Amino acid sequence: MADPPKGDNHGEEDDAGAAFVLQSKGQWWHAGFHLTTAIVGPTILTLPYAFRGLGWGLGFMCLTVMGVVTFYSYYLMSKVLDHCEKSGRRHIRFRELAADVLGSGWMFYFVIFIQTAINAGVGVGSILLAGESLEIMYSNISPDGPLKLYEFIAMVTVVMIVLSQLPSFHSLRHINLCSLLLSLGYTMLVVGACIHAGTSKNAPPRDYSLEPKKSDKAFSAFTSISILAAIFGNGILPEIQATLAPPATGKMVKGLTMCYAVICVTFYSAAVSGYWVFGNKSNSNILRSLLPNDGPSLAPTWVLALAIIFVLLQLFAIGLVYSQVAYEIMEKQSADVKQGMFSKRNLIPRIILRTIYMICCGFLAAMLPFFGDINGVVGAIGFIPLDFILPMLLYNMTYKPPKSSLIYWVNFSIMVTFTGAGIMGAFSSIRKLILDANRFKLFGSDVVD
């Protein structure tokens, strides 16, 4: 476990986590690349699945509210980080920022716990979806082939082990630029495929009705809200801002603007096109809906194959981005900053620890194949506290707006609303996880929807 904060660690001579993993060399557009990779990923292919628990009206409203609230939330957190930097305390870790502003040692460990849950959840989800992408391609080329899902997951894990040896967050900037372009590419391909499917003679029957029972309808709605929170969340904004060359003031807002421009293009188009075609039969991975097991492909095979390749490539970048906090924690404890980043003393522990971490993520992905449900749980217990509650609290504690002011009450209302949504989302997501657990086998070859 990492040591509790003793002030600003960025300038400490023995801080290998800062010196090696969280190097501060980037420009604002590099932060934009990192943010886009952290938020705009293949999870957007889950948006039609989230809409099926909400319907058109509530789905649009929740998608828009999540977008506005998260942009506002990340903007406030960036302001808090800028304020601390101007005061001579540049924080490069979420846990240290929270502990410093809130003045509580337990908050340091709370953030570590939540970030670990997010890192592991996204790491597992990325490897699982990458393995599923390979399996989709394989099953269409060789329907009766012997390879199973867990074997594709093992292949992905091996590639991730190799890529995980890139030493710092900043070293991912070019990979994350490619990731941004890939997200735009496969979104447009999937949207085109959905339009083709919806207008073809084989178009599936459309049903947008919700669950008949009120209790089931409520549980489905809160599960969908948790999935949306996971899709919009990142939980690592301070670590991304840490990659900026100081002074970082104002640079993060430009990076956020770039990221949310991409979000506007991708999120709405994927959600609308997918839900329009498949309604309440939308799969947790819309590519599965477009490539049904019991019928012909609903779109040109080459379009879907190219989309799957783009998804697969971007998943490697996402897995790398969300592993950085875990690597920083491990390296802070294991590395010797007085020796070179690539010295034998630091290289061997890095290879061993990062390899073990990726093997654990790959093992869990193979053992528990339900991508949509993992998204919901991670959103409820991870992203909602870090992205929808803590930033408002940190801003109010830092800037101390009067209790009679609008910004105080906006922040307070968001905190209360999303605390309730997080509690209900956690309950409904875990409930669905338990229900789905009866439908799969350990190391099964089918992803439960």
Side-chain angles (χ1 to χ4, degrees):
M1 179 63 71
D3 296 327
K6 299 176 182 178
D8 177 23
N9 286 340
H10 185 56
E12 290 184 8
E13 294 182 356
D14 61 346
D15 191 345
F20 295 162
V21 181
L22 298 179
Q23 292 178 328
S24 301
K25 296 181 177 180
Q27 302 299 323
W28 69 264
W29 53 89
H30 298 145
F33 301 159
H34 299 325
L35 277 167
T36 305
T37 300
I39 301 175
V40 187
T43 48
I44 64 177
L45 303 180
T46 312
L47 281 168
Y49 176 78
F51 264 50
R52 85 179 198 180
L54 297 167
W56 279 116
L58 196 56
F60 262 113
M61 187 187 79
C62 288
L63 184 64
T64 303
V65 167
M66 288 287 187
V68 171
V69 169
T70 50
F71 183 90
Y72 175 70
S73 170
Y74 300 146
Y75 171 74
L76 291 188
M77 192 184 299
S78 181
K79 293 260 297 178
V80 172
L81 287 163
D82 289 346
H83 180 275
C84 291
E85 183 177 349
K86 290 175 182 176
S87 303
R89 308 184 327 274
R90 188 183 188 210
H91 293 296
I92 63 172
R93 302 174 177 95
F94 203 145
R95 58 190 185 272
E96 291 167 2
L97 173 69
D100 178 30
V101 174
L102 300 178
S104 173
W106 71 266
M107 183 57 69
F108 179 85
Y109 296 108
F110 171 77
V111 172
I112 283 184
F113 173 77
I114 296 297
Q115 281 192 318
T116 301
I118 289 173
N119 289 341
V122 176
V124 170
S126 296
I127 292 174
L128 174 57
L129 187 53
E132 185 187 7
S133 298
L134 281 175
E135 194 223 7
I136 290 172
M137 289 192 290
Y138 176 76
S139 62
N140 278 271
I141 296 169
S142 178
D144 300 317
L147 295 181
K148 304 297 184 184
L149 176 62
Y150 63 83
E151 292 173 287
F152 293 107
I153 288 173
M155 296 176 197
V156 172
T157 303
V158 170
V159 176
M160 287 300 298
I161 288 171
V162 174
L163 293 175
S164 70
Q165 303 309 319
L166 287 167
S168 70
F169 206 154
H170 181 62
S171 66
L172 304 180
R173 62 195 182 281
H174 301 303
I175 289 177
N176 289 339
L177 168 59
C178 294
S179 169
L180 186 156
L181 298 175
L182 288 168
S183 67
L184 291 170
Y186 65 69
T187 300
M188 294 303 102
L189 289 167
V190 167
V191 169
C194 287
I195 293 172
H196 181 277
T199 55
S200 70
K201 62 180 182 179
N202 295 322
R206 290 174 197 138
D207 183 0
Y208 305 115
S209 61
L210 303 177
E211 300 279 359
K213 290 176 62 177
K214 287 187 177 180
S215 58
D216 290 339
K217 190 182 296 184
F219 282 129
S220 295
F222 279 111
T223 300
S224 294
I225 290 170
S226 296
I227 291 172
L228 289 175
I231 292 172
F232 272 103
N234 72 76
I236 54 173
L237 186 134
E239 285 79 6
I240 292 175
Q241 186 155 331
T243 65
L244 291 168
T249 303
K251 295 177 183 176
M252 200 62 175
V253 177
K254 294 179 181 178
L256 277 170
T257 303
M258 174 194 287
C259 174
Y260 273 76
V262 177
I263 284 174
C264 287
V265 172
T266 55
F267 280 38
Y268 284 95
S269 59
V272 170
S273 61
Y275 188 62
W276 169 69
V277 179
F278 299 105
N280 59 17
K281 301 299 181 185
S282 297
N283 197 293
S284 62
N285 179 352
I286 201 64
L287 290 171
R288 282 284 188 189
S289 298
L290 290 164
L291 284 167
N293 293 326
D294 54 354
S297 169
L298 297 177
T301 305
W302 71 267
V303 172
L304 298 178
L306 191 57
I308 291 168
I309 291 169
F310 285 2
V311 165
L312 178 64
L313 292 174
Q314 198 206 17
L315 283 164
F316 293 125
I318 292 169
L320 291 174
V321 163
Y322 278 97
S323 300
Q324 296 306 305
V325 174
Y327 296 161
E328 178 271 312
I329 291 173
M330 292 188 295
E331 207 136 324
K332 186 177 181 184
Q333 303 298 319
S334 67
D336 183 355
V337 75
K338 296 177 182 178
Q339 300 191 42
M341 183 187 294
F342 297 103
S343 65
K344 184 185 292 187
R345 162 66 182 80
N346 291 326
L347 187 61
I348 292 173
R350 181 188 304 135
I351 291 172
I352 293 172
L353 291 172
R354 294 188 182 193
T355 298
I356 291 171
Y357 179 81
M358 280 300 168
I359 289 173
C360 290
C361 288
F363 181 81
L364 288 172
M367 188 171 68
L368 305 171
F370 24 88
F371 176 67
D373 292 357
I374 289 174
N375 252 355
V377 175
V378 170
I381 69 171
F383 289 116
I384 285 180
L386 290 193
D387 293 325
F388 295 86
I389 299 172
L390 268 179
M392 321 301 170
L393 181 59
L394 293 172
Y395 183 88
N396 283 356
M397 293 291 289
T398 299
Y399 286 91
K400 297 180 171 55
K403 290 188 177 181
S404 58
S405 65
L406 176 63
I407 192 168
Y408 177 87
W409 283 105
V410 167
N411 292 348
F412 182 77
S413 300
I414 291 172
M415 285 190 287
V416 171
T417 300
F418 280 96
T419 297
I423 292 170
M424 288 302 299
F427 180 77
S428 58
S429 297
I430 292 171
R431 170 183 175 270
K432 189 172 188 305
L433 199 66
I434 293 169
L435 292 174
D436 284 347
N438 297 321
R439 297 169 48 204
F440 82 104
K441 298 177 182 178
L442 289 179
F443 303 99
S445 198
D446 293 311
V447 175
V448 177
D449 302 320

